[in-house]
Amino acid sequence: MMRTRPLKVALLGCGVVGSEVARIMTTHAGDLAARIGAPVELAGVAVRRPDRVREGIDSALITTDATALVKRGDIDVVVEVIGGIEPARALITTAFEHGASVVSANKALLAQDGAALHAAAEQHGKDLYYEAAVAGAIPLIRPLRESLAGDKINRVMGIVNGTTNFILDKMDSTGAGYQEALDEATALGYAEADPTADVEGFDAAAKAAILAGIAFHTRVRLDDVYREGMTEVTAADFASAKEMGCTIKLLAICERAGDGASVTARVHPAMIPLSHPLASVRGAYNAVFVESDAAGQLMFYGPGAGGSPTASAVLGDLVAVCRNRIGGATGPGESAYAALPVSPMGDVVTRYHISLDVADKPGVLAQVATVFAEHGVSIDTVRQSGKDGEASLVVVTHRASDAALTGTVEALRKLDTVRGVASIMRVEGE
């Protein structure tokens, strides 16, 4: 039997995502009510610019006083899509204090202060859901913390930023340089006017922190995530990748150490074999590859950003939270019982592709090989080409630690025969 009293929803933010959330709540009101077991009512919308025309939203619902809205006491769920740290953090904690559960899409806040927000939700007996914070419309958070709750997850690796994937895909498919591909992404609306958060990996790093925390039942903050941007990736790097049967992606990688005693979380460009499922993810799409003991390998794929895809994830959380509200229960909160240490990047072990500019004369290869051997880094393949006294030497290693590789490169730079290190890129997915 459906409850007649509606559940009241406060919406914080009415931009691209917020306006789409409001539209779906209005146009699909009957379906949402049937799925929840009660009607849902948009009770207020907090915005910064009240004079803007917002089609389909009653102007009487618009307010600039977000704090007063979340303090009303009759609000059942607060949907936060304003982003940033403040005032979002204060508004969310205030919502809990005044009896509301929260649905958020705020990856930056959750990566920085997720533990405190979960603690506040638990203290007040309320829900904190955030499916939309990672990978847009792709169902990922709930499968990790609910569907796979009985399994042991060993690795989560994925493309979690559509802007960077569009740029790298364009460089791969057309041979374009980085700036040319970025300009096209900006023209098409895939990249912001200031793309720093995307291309320098900040956005993906926040998502990696959230994924690692859920996957490994460990608190992982944004500061724990190693981050490397993709602005230095060149057409020459793609040419080298193709010679290896690879492409290049900006990857978020969260993994458990082989002995299970620690975890790592990192974001950086990497070569990945064309045979790997992530290699075929094109354009602005996202995909996340999960490896676990019992389930094996799982792939989650779909649009990772945009108003409608992100709103889809927000509405999914809203339905779940409203159902919990009616049933007098709460969903799963933070699970950090494992409390595993987060290892530094120096401990990470992977393969490397190193391109060196060297003198084209006898003995150079022997000198380079000796440096690798002295630092305990085993060489898999070597390719050399050159003329007129200059040469390019490409070395692909077996698996080695980041610390060992760093020491190797520092020693190589000291050789008189090494003119420079053209590029260093990790090789993942093997």
Side-chain angles (χ1 to χ4, degrees):
M1 183 176 178
M2 183 176 294
R3 193 178 84 166
T4 56
R5 185 176 72 79
L7 292 158
K8 294 189 176 183
V9 177
L11 179 61
L12 308 183
C14 198
V16 173
V17 176
S19 59
E20 190 65 10
V21 169
R23 184 192 69 79
I24 295 173
M25 284 185 64
T26 302
T27 58
H28 294 178
D31 287 337
L32 291 173
R35 293 165 190 172
I36 291 168
V40 285
E41 174 188 312
L42 189 58
V45 182
V47 299
R48 287 185 297 174
R49 302 181 185 89
D51 296 331
R52 280 183 54 186
V53 175
R54 294 174 171 85
E55 187 176 346
I57 299 177
D58 185 348
S59 61
L61 298 177
I62 301 296
T63 179
T64 57
D65 194 342
T67 301
L69 178 59
V70 299
K71 281 184 173 181
R72 274 179 36 176
D74 65 335
I75 300 297
D76 294 286
V77 184
V78 169
V79 174
E80 182 271 310
V81 288
I82 57 178
I85 305 303
E86 293 291 359
R89 174 169 49 197
L91 291 169
I92 289 173
T93 54
T94 300
F96 291 140
E97 291 166 0
H98 287 79
S101 289
V102 173
V103 172
S104 176
N106 197 331
K107 53 187 172 287
L109 179 58
L110 288 159
Q112 180 172 306
D113 285 320
L117 295 178
H118 275 293
E122 183 177 1
Q123 176 186 352
H124 296 285
K126 299 296 178 283
D127 276 323
L128 173 62
Y129 275 47
Y130 44 91
E131 184 68 66
V134 180
I138 303 172
L140 184 59
I141 300 297
R142 197 169 296 130
L144 288 179
R145 72 176 185 176
E146 296 182 33
S147 304
L148 295 173
D151 206 344
K152 178 184 177 185
I153 298 173
N154 296 310
R155 197 173 205 227
V156 178
M157 178 171 73
I159 299 161
V160 294
N161 183 278
T163 299
T164 56
N165 198 58
F166 178 89
I167 293 170
L168 291 173
D169 182 40
K170 192 58 65 172
M171 292 175 70
D172 184 28
S173 60
T174 69
Y178 166 75
Q179 189 60 51
E180 183 183 351
L182 172 59
D183 290 344
E184 183 174 350
T186 304
L188 293 172
Y190 291 125
E192 301 287 345
D194 179 1
T196 303
D198 295 323
V199 300
E200 293 294 351
F202 291 101
D203 176 83
K207 295 169 181 176
I210 295 170
L211 291 175
I214 296 170
F216 307 131
H217 305 278
T218 292
R219 286 178 179 167
V220 179
R221 289 172 50 89
L222 181 59
D223 292 344
D224 296 321
V225 182
Y226 172 83
R227 177 194 55 79
E228 192 177 306
M230 49 158 277
T231 57
E232 301 301 318
V233 177
T234 66
D237 291 327
F238 274 100
S240 294
K242 287 182 179 180
E243 290 179 359
M244 291 180 58
C246 293
T247 188
I248 299 172
K249 298 292 186 182
L250 185 74
L251 297 177
I253 304 172
C254 314
E255 57 189 349
R256 191 188 299 268
D259 61 4
S262 64
V263 299
T264 57
R266 50 197 165 103
V267 170
H268 53 72
M271 293 183 180
I272 188 167
L274 295 175
S275 58
H276 194 282
L278 290 176
S280 62
V281 178
R282 311 299 299 270
Y285 275 71
N286 284 193
V288 177
F289 197 73
V290 178
E291 300 176 37
S292 68
D293 276 0
Q297 298 179 334
L298 305 171
M299 176 88 153
F300 299 85
Y301 170 85
S308 294
T310 306
S312 170
V314 169
L315 267 295
D317 278 351
L318 179 62
V319 169
V321 169
C322 286
R323 286 171 175 169
N324 292 342
R325 192 88 173 181
I326 291 173
T330 55
E334 182 188 35
S335 175
Y337 73 90
L340 296 171
V342 182
S343 296
M345 187 62 187
D347 292 348
V348 171
V349 175
T350 189
R351 297 178 68 206
Y352 290 86
H353 176 283
I354 305 103
S355 180
L356 305 172
D357 295 326
V358 300
D360 188 14
K361 63 182 185 180
V364 173
L365 180 56
Q367 286 184 327
V368 169
T370 297
V371 170
F372 276 87
E374 288 174 347
H375 288 82
V377 180
S378 175
I379 294 175
D380 182 18
T381 62
V382 177
R383 186 177 69 256
Q384 184 172 357
S385 62
K387 60 181 179 179
D388 300 327
E390 299 296 329
S392 174
L393 187 64
V394 175
V395 178
V396 180
T397 74
H398 287 291
R399 291 174 65 82
S401 72
D402 187 83
L405 197 282
T406 299
T408 302
V409 172
E410 289 175 355
L412 288 170
R413 294 184 193 277
K414 296 176 181 178
L415 294 178
D416 291 339
T417 51
V418 175
R419 310 293 193 223
V421 180
S423 70
I424 303 170
M425 192 165 295
R426 297 168 184 87
V427 183
E428 302 286 350
E430 295 186 329

